[in-house]
Amino acid sequence: MTKQQANWSPYDNNGGTCVAIAGADYCVIAADTRMSSGYNILTRDYSKIIQLADKSVMASSGFQADVRALQKVLASRHLLYQHQHNKQMSCPAMAQLLSNTLYYKRFFPYYAFNVLGGLDNEGKGCVFTYDAVGSYERVGYSSQGSGSTLITPFLDNQLKSPSPLLLPAKDAVTPLSEAEAIDLVKTCFASATERDIYTGDKLEIIVLNASGIRQEYMELRKD
Amino acid sequence: MSASQSVKKIIEINPYMLGTMAGGAADCQFWHRNLGVKCRLHELANKRRISVTGASKLLANILYSYRGMGLSVGTMIAGWDEKGPGLYYVDSEGGRLKGTRFSVGSGSPYAYGVLDSGYRYDMSVEEAAELARRAIYHATFRDGASGGVASVYHVGPNGWTKLSGDDVGELHYKYYPVEAEVVEQEMAELPVT
């Protein structure tokens, strides 16, 4: 007697890729705007990025219905925090909140692969990378989604920073300038678009620094 | 989640207790943090620090209540309390063992080999740290799933301190330096005809 298999799945994968890079005083968060289902493109103009707080921006690939639900929960919790503490949540605090929010659905997870980027309390760039159930780590750069297997080795080659576990500690933040990091991100997506069918159409880039927040777009291949 | 060479596998529960991570990263991170919260609540309720015995039992009881639901946690709780040093192994099957040495994870058989052959109860801190470092190094050498940085911490009466964090690639050449080979015959260019 074989175990009964489900003939319907509550999940779907809408594809797409997200990248974030932390610098000395900036953070670049980017994602493509293609939303797919199987071999179909649902739309070429869907944003996977949301600004959760003054200095926290989240990009998520995976199942966009779950991503949208997750974004709403986090936005609501941030509003409560502002009412209770009369200030914006810091990026490290938002990082912990996201981890706990994901783990609370440990037995029916959000199918969301997240990258949180922003500025920490000292104004330095920070990037936090997650798995679907909330395990997280602060890193210098990260990529998630369908194109991550193509982008991560390239970023390792260009940006590889010493492990934060080393003692004596070595500085991990990338020495690249903001303009160089943005250029690197554009290069990553141009390459990923070539080989990953789920990545393409348009690239949305968000840049967070001391002066505030900025948005840029770049066209990608639409095939 | 894709592999990382810098995942923190030693979790700082509080300034005098550490937990190690093996199995599901999110499960370990979440429940260790939860254990830290419970330990702090114990301190506030009882006006004294929780024992390692008590802390490990709190964690073991939580994991036992989730038994069969798919949590994956293989952890060691190490700390210092009124009875001195304490070390417990706790896992998601509900197991909890007190001991003087443990090795957990996919590379654990390799680490046990080195650990068991070099262990003495009356080792100095430096000797024990070097033994632990070697055990981790040998596990990373043979186990494909282990690697990156070997971290060593010490837990004493005043809490824990990090002793070292070494890239295992560098440890390899430190333990097994490459000697310059005597070149008997050098390769020569073939004459162009």
Side-chain angles (χ1 to χ4, degrees):
Chain A
M1 186 78 186
T2 45
K3 191 175 173 188
Q4 194 185 29
Q5 300 270 13
N7 51 15
W8 175 83
S9 167
Y11 296 114
D12 189 15
N13 188 350
N14 300 119
T17 309
C18 307
V19 167
I21 300 178
D25 60 352
Y26 66 86
C27 188
V28 177
I29 301 100
D32 69 326
T33 60
R34 175 176 286 182
M35 185 167 161
S36 345
S37 179
Y39 284 122
N40 300 314
I41 293 178
L42 298 175
T43 179
R44 297 187 191 276
D45 198 15
Y46 190 84
S47 176
K48 301 194 227 319
I49 307 181
I50 186 177
Q51 184 179 15
L52 293 169
D54 233 9
K55 302 187 176 161
S56 300
V57 172
M58 179 174 80
S60 320
S61 77
F63 180 39
Q64 291 302 319
D66 270 356
V67 167
R68 180 57 69 90
L70 178 64
Q71 289 174 348
K72 290 172 89 171
V73 168
L74 293 170
S76 154
R77 287 299 304 273
H78 183 231
L79 193 58
L80 278 171
Y81 183 96
Q82 285 179 279
H83 288 150
Q84 289 171 357
H85 297 91
N86 199 25
K87 64 177 186 179
Q88 295 269 330
M89 267 179 99
S90 67
C91 198
M94 186 61 81
Q96 185 68 66
L97 176 65
L98 174 53
S99 172
N100 288 343
T101 308
L102 291 169
Y103 198 82
Y104 284 142
K105 274 173 66 65
R106 169 65 174 78
F107 298 114
F108 184 13
Y110 288 108
Y111 194 96
F113 297 99
N114 309 293
V115 167
L116 184 74
L119 302 172
D120 66 13
N121 294 316
E122 293 163 18
K124 288 193 202 153
C126 58
V127 170
F128 296 90
T129 190
Y130 294 80
D131 71 2
V133 281
S135 130
Y136 79 113
E137 209 196 336
R138 181 171 177 176
V139 288
Y141 59 90
S142 173
S143 171
Q144 294 273 14
S146 57
S148 66
T149 47
L150 297 165
I151 292 177
T152 305
F154 175 63
L155 288 180
D156 282 342
N157 175 262
Q158 297 293 306
L159 297 175
K160 180 81 185 194
S161 45
S163 169
L165 300 171
L166 288 172
L167 198 73
K170 290 183 191 158
D171 200 24
V173 176
T174 180
L176 287 183
S177 74
E178 192 184 293
E180 286 173 323
I182 294 171
D183 210 56
L184 190 63
V185 161
K186 291 180 178 174
T187 308
C188 285
F189 274 89
S191 301
T193 303
E194 294 288 316
R195 294 287 181 174
D196 176 30
I197 60 174
Y198 299 109
T199 302
D201 293 330
K202 215 162 64 187
L203 171 63
E204 183 183 4
I205 307 175
I206 303 283
V207 183
L208 260 173
N209 55 27
S211 341
I213 189 169
R214 198 173 89 240
Q215 192 182 45
E216 243 185 82
Y217 285 100
M218 183 182 93
E219 293 295 318
L220 294 172
R221 285 181 67 133
K222 294 163 187 357
D223 61 357
Chain B
M1 185 181 189
S2 59
S4 166
Q5 294 281 45
S6 61
V7 169
K8 280 193 78 168
K9 293 188 182 170
I10 297 186
I11 299 168
E12 296 147 13
I13 297 168
N14 60 41
Y16 50 92
M17 217 180 308
L18 295 172
T20 61
M21 180 205 293
D27 294 336
C28 290
Q29 272 186 13
F30 184 88
W31 290 112
H32 276 128
R33 190 164 186 268
N34 181 266
L35 179 62
V37 169
K38 287 192 164 68
C39 290
R40 179 65 183 138
L41 288 171
H42 175 98
E43 275 175 37
L44 291 168
N46 299 102
K47 282 194 181 179
R48 65 192 215 159
R49 281 189 195 164
I50 192 170
S51 62
V52 185
T53 311
S56 60
K57 193 101 187 193
L58 279 176
L59 181 64
N61 286 153
I62 298 259
L63 295 178
Y64 182 75
S65 68
Y66 283 97
R67 195 171 131 87
M69 293 174 77
L71 291 187
S72 174
V73 173
T75 185
M76 294 181 275
I77 304 294
W80 194 287
D81 57 31
E82 282 165 11
K83 293 204 167 80
L87 178 65
Y88 282 82
Y89 163 79
V90 176
D91 69 26
S92 45
E93 308 287 285
R96 176 173 165 267
L97 298 170
K98 184 170 160 62
T100 51
R101 63 189 188 278
F102 290 107
S103 168
V104 185
S106 57
S108 63
Y110 306 108
Y112 267 130
V114 173
L115 189 60
D116 291 337
S117 56
Y119 177 82
R120 289 178 349 262
Y121 189 72
D122 57 350
M123 292 172 86
S124 72
V125 172
E126 291 79 23
E127 287 176 313
E130 184 54 26
L131 182 65
R133 196 174 300 119
R134 289 237 178 198
I136 298 290
Y137 159 75
H138 283 277
T140 62
F141 187 74
R142 285 292 179 181
D143 175 38
S146 303
V149 171
S151 303
V152 181
Y153 285 69
H154 173 256
V155 187
N158 299 318
W160 56 260
T161 45
K162 184 159 184 181
L163 296 179
S164 69
D166 302 293
D167 186 296
V168 297
E170 286 173 30
L171 281 181
H172 174 80
Y173 291 106
K174 186 166 156 240
Y175 296 146
Y176 302 102
V178 178
E179 279 121 29
E181 276 178 25
V182 175
V183 178
E184 288 178 5
Q185 196 176 54
E186 284 194 22
M187 276 177 65
E189 293 261 352
L190 281 176
V192 176
T193 44

